[in-house]
Amino acid sequence: MLNKIAVIGGGNIGGVVVQEVASRKLARSVALVDVKEPEFAKGKCLDIAEGTPVIGADINVEGSKEYDVIEGADIVINTAGVPRTTRPDGTLPTREELLATNLKITDFVSAGIAKYAPDAIVISIANPLDAIVYRLHMNLKKDRSKLLGMAGVLDSARYRLFIAQEAGVSVENVEAMVLGGHGDDMLPIRSACRIAGMPVEKFVSPEKLEAIENRTRKAGGEVVKLLGSGSAFVSPAWSALEMAEAIIYDKRKIVPVCTLLKGEYGVDGLFIGVPAILGKNGVEQIIEMDLTDEEKELFKKSVASVKKTADEVVAMTK
Ligand code: APR
């Protein structure tokens, strides 16, 4: 059992993360920081703490609007950000406006992590994922094993669900990877998609697969539209916890991780979603997959989008 997990941002995703850390008993203590008034994080944690006797979890759940609550955490899960929702006047913030706001929040978050949990392994969920992880990297200058973005686990889970539904089989039978950036040109890797070890094409037609892959790329937006306000939160929280559990239990599990590439896949200095082994040290090894020529081209396109985002983040720093 880990000593302490900290969660930054206690909204929809952060709330589920804290609740799941408690119910899965992943650490002796879970801390939540959220700047929302009057004492939002404290209230959220009191609610969860008061339920721990019922679920039999001897875990300390503490919330605060001050960052010192995260002191000494072994793992930090970052969910702080403003989701893309309609303003009261009916307009939507532009992508740039949203990015500028979220980068400011990320600078604040980085300062808190640097001060109170400098050695923690950081798993970041906040969107725009590629931009936020890049900014955390610029600010925290962590070893690459210790800064991870969560996108691929969720994107792959969505792909797996849609394939399982189409094939009429258990989600447990479907193995799949979605790589690249966390944008519209993310890359579901059809050549690595297996149903009980068999190629997916044995069960699903190429036309259906194409439709599923398109749906996967836009799956986040589909949920946003249906909800009316806010974005997906249970599946992102569970996905980040899959990564956290791989680290906590030193599973050496291969999952898609948004990680800093240093020459792998011909990319240097960008955070891209690729398969990696997660264990007690965080990212322990990056796996270079064999891609088809078509997939290689699409991967390059996705990398180009991530590079554009990273350049924007750097430009917004000046
Ligand atoms: N420090 C700590 N918490 C902060 C800060 C900050 N500087 N700034 C904002 N927060 C908090 C907000 O007060 C809010 O409670 O982050 C929380 C975000 O919660 P929600 O708005 O409910 O958003 P959520 O659905 O949880 O998504 C969080 O992940 O998937 C992405 O797009 C999503 O970027 C968003 C993030």
Side-chain angles (χ1 to χ4, degrees), residues 8-9 11-13 33-36 67 79-81 83 105 108 125-127:
I8 303 185
N12 281 336
I13 298 179
V33 59
D34 194 306
V35 294
K36 195 164 163 185
Y67 271 77
T79 79
I105 292 175
F108 200 78
I125 312 179
N127 270 324

Side-chain angles (χ1 to χ4, degrees), residues 187-217:
L187 209 66
I189 306 294
R190 193 185 298 184
S191 65
C193 185
R194 294 273 185 282
I195 297 186
M198 292 169 269
V200 65
E201 290 94 339
K202 190 173 166 68
F203 298 84
V204 185
S205 71
E207 296 74 33
K208 291 272 189 221
L209 277 170
E210 201 174 326
I212 286 171
E213 287 153 8
N214 285 333
R215 185 178 176 197
T216 301
R217 288 189 195 94

Side-chain angles (χ1 to χ4, degrees), residues 96-141:
E96 287 70 27
E97 282 169 336
L98 194 73
L99 182 58
T101 307
N102 280 319
L103 289 181
K104 245 184 246 158
I105 292 175
T106 305
D107 289 344
F108 200 78
V109 167
S110 309
I113 296 175
K115 183 159 182 200
Y116 295 107
D119 299 324
I121 294 176
V122 176
I123 302 173
S124 191
I125 312 179
N127 270 324
L129 191 275
D130 302 305
I132 303 283
V133 174
Y134 197 74
R135 184 64 146 232
L136 286 169
H137 162 67
M138 287 170 68
N139 290 341
L140 295 172
K141 299 180 177 60

